[in-house]
Amino acid sequence: MTLRHLKIFIAVCDTGSMTAAAKELFIAQPAVSFAIAEMENYYGHKVFNRISNRLYITEVGKVLLRHARQIAAQFDDMEAEVRNWNSAEILRVGSSVSVSSTFLPGRIKAFQGEHPGVTVQVSVKNSAEIEQLVVNDQLDMALIDGPIINRLIACHKVGASGMVFICPPEHPWAGGTIEISDLNNCSFIVRERESMERRLLEKLFQHNKIKVNVVWQSISIDAILNAVSSGLGVAAVSGVFAEERLRAGAVSQFHVQGVHLSRESFIIYPQNKALDDLEQDFLRLCVDPFHPSP
């Protein structure tokens, strides 16, 4: 059973005869008769009663007609939407929490300046979740913190920012330098477990056999900064996020001897994906934001 059979059947029902349906569809009348006969053989039911050279739709034919109209209408909608896709283009972009707060907004603004008719849909989650959405083709591209270890993902570095250790202004470590062993058993405020900042810290702690007391974990950078300024513990965050609070004196920076943490950001997409023109433009704006479009 094909869409052609259904459309012929609908035409016969609408015109009242196979001859009229053939004229409407610009096909030979025997082709219409043959298609209806195939349908009746396929379903094992008569869809028309033939009385005095006239066609009368049967009850099962009425059921078939109702479904046939729905299927034909859905097919026509699909055809129109796909054929007119260029008039409603969408770019699905994912981002980690950190990148969405810093790098991403400017890149999207620049992209929309070049492509004002394109809708950019942004999804913000932690890096591990975003990676999986890219692999599953639920996102076209994404900007996340690295390193990227998934072999199914292609990546290009777009930037890096240093991380800083912060504490309440009244803390004994404020403005000073400590040994990494001093972090043992201190109250630490961290990002959620799958975030890149959390991974970097856990790697640092494991390598140096440091155990801290995680008293607060959050996906919100602001919540972490507020918790530190309230005296609930210390933290390590991207310097970009801490700048304003440091200038205002709400938090203070301290250094850990011999420790320099850096968070790298990457744009990613499926490894074997052939990027279309829109995706290539977005990639260019992220990797080389000062290079004009050709």
Side-chain angles (χ1 to χ4, degrees):
M1 187 53 49
T2 67
L3 184 65
R4 177 177 177 273
H5 287 88
L6 297 180
K7 289 195 170 185
I8 289 174
F9 173 60
I10 292 170
V12 173
C13 292
D14 288 345
T15 61
S17 77
M18 295 190 188
T19 300
K23 290 181 180 179
E24 182 176 282
L25 297 173
F26 301 101
I27 59 177
Q29 190 274 334
V32 174
S33 299
F34 186 72
I36 297 300
E38 282 187 321
M39 289 183 66
E40 292 179 330
N41 289 334
Y42 181 83
Y43 288 114
H45 296 287
K46 291 289 185 183
V47 295
F48 293 111
N49 286 321
R50 295 150 178 88
I51 302 173
S52 301
N53 294 323
R54 295 189 62 182
L55 297 177
Y56 297 89
I57 191 168
T58 63
E59 290 302 314
V60 71
K62 292 177 182 178
V63 172
L64 179 61
L65 178 61
R66 174 165 52 85
H67 288 290
R69 290 194 191 281
Q70 292 175 349
I71 293 169
Q74 288 178 340
F75 179 83
D76 290 342
D77 288 345
M78 177 192 71
E79 286 274 287
E81 185 173 351
V82 173
R83 291 184 185 280
N84 296 324
W85 185 252
N86 287 338
S87 63
E89 291 176 302
I90 297 174
L91 182 67
R92 304 170 301 168
V93 177
S95 176
S96 63
V97 176
S98 300
V99 179
S100 71
S101 302
T102 53
F103 183 83
L104 182 61
R107 302 285 66 76
I108 289 181
K109 183 177 181 180
F111 177 80
Q112 290 180 324
E114 293 187 6
H115 302 279
V118 176
T119 298
V120 181
Q121 296 178 341
V122 178
S123 178
V124 179
K125 300 179 182 293
N126 65 48
S127 294
E129 291 178 292
I130 291 294
E131 279 190 30
Q132 197 57 50
L133 291 174
V134 169
V135 170
N136 293 341
D137 196 33
Q138 293 175 268
L139 292 171
D140 299 313
M141 311 184 85
L143 288 148
I144 63 173
D145 302 315
I148 312 300
I149 58 176
N150 193 322
R151 293 183 179 180
L152 299 176
I153 289 178
C155 65
H156 301 270
K157 184 177 176 180
V158 297
S161 62
M163 295 180 64
V164 296
F165 288 93
I166 57 174
C167 62
E170 66 278 7
H171 197 283
W173 296 345
T177 300
I178 65 171
E179 297 293 331
I180 192 166
S181 58
D182 293 331
L183 292 174
N184 259 317
N185 300 315
C186 75
S187 297
F188 223 94
I189 300 166
V190 296
R191 285 282 307 278
E192 74 279 11
R193 188 170 296 278
E194 294 301 322
S195 68
M196 189 50 57
E197 290 93 335
R198 179 73 172 268
R199 291 181 187 178
L200 288 172
L201 283 174
E202 288 181 345
K203 183 178 180 180
L204 173 69
F205 295 156
Q206 289 171 4
H207 179 74
N208 291 278
K209 297 181 172 57
I210 301 296
K211 290 186 178 181
V212 300
N213 296 321
V214 175
V215 296
W216 189 306
Q217 62 178 357
S218 174
I219 63 172
S220 168
I221 301 296
D222 280 339
I224 292 173
L225 293 170
N226 288 337
V228 172
S229 65
S230 297
L232 301 181
V234 302
V237 299
S238 173
V240 175
F241 297 124
E243 283 179 356
E244 186 176 337
R245 305 293 182 102
L246 288 169
R247 284 197 302 267
V251 298
S252 294
Q253 183 177 354
F254 67 93
H255 300 276
V256 179
Q257 185 70 41
V259 175
H260 302 283
L261 296 177
S262 178
R263 179 177 60 83
E264 295 182 325
S265 300
F266 296 83
I267 184 169
I268 64 172
Y269 51 90
Q271 180 66 256
N272 297 318
K273 181 176 184 177
L275 300 183
D276 61 25
D277 291 343
L278 290 179
E279 292 162 344
Q280 289 180 14
D281 280 351
F282 188 71
L283 174 64
R284 169 183 54 78
L285 286 168
C286 291
V287 174
D288 189 5
F290 302 107
H291 188 282
S293 59

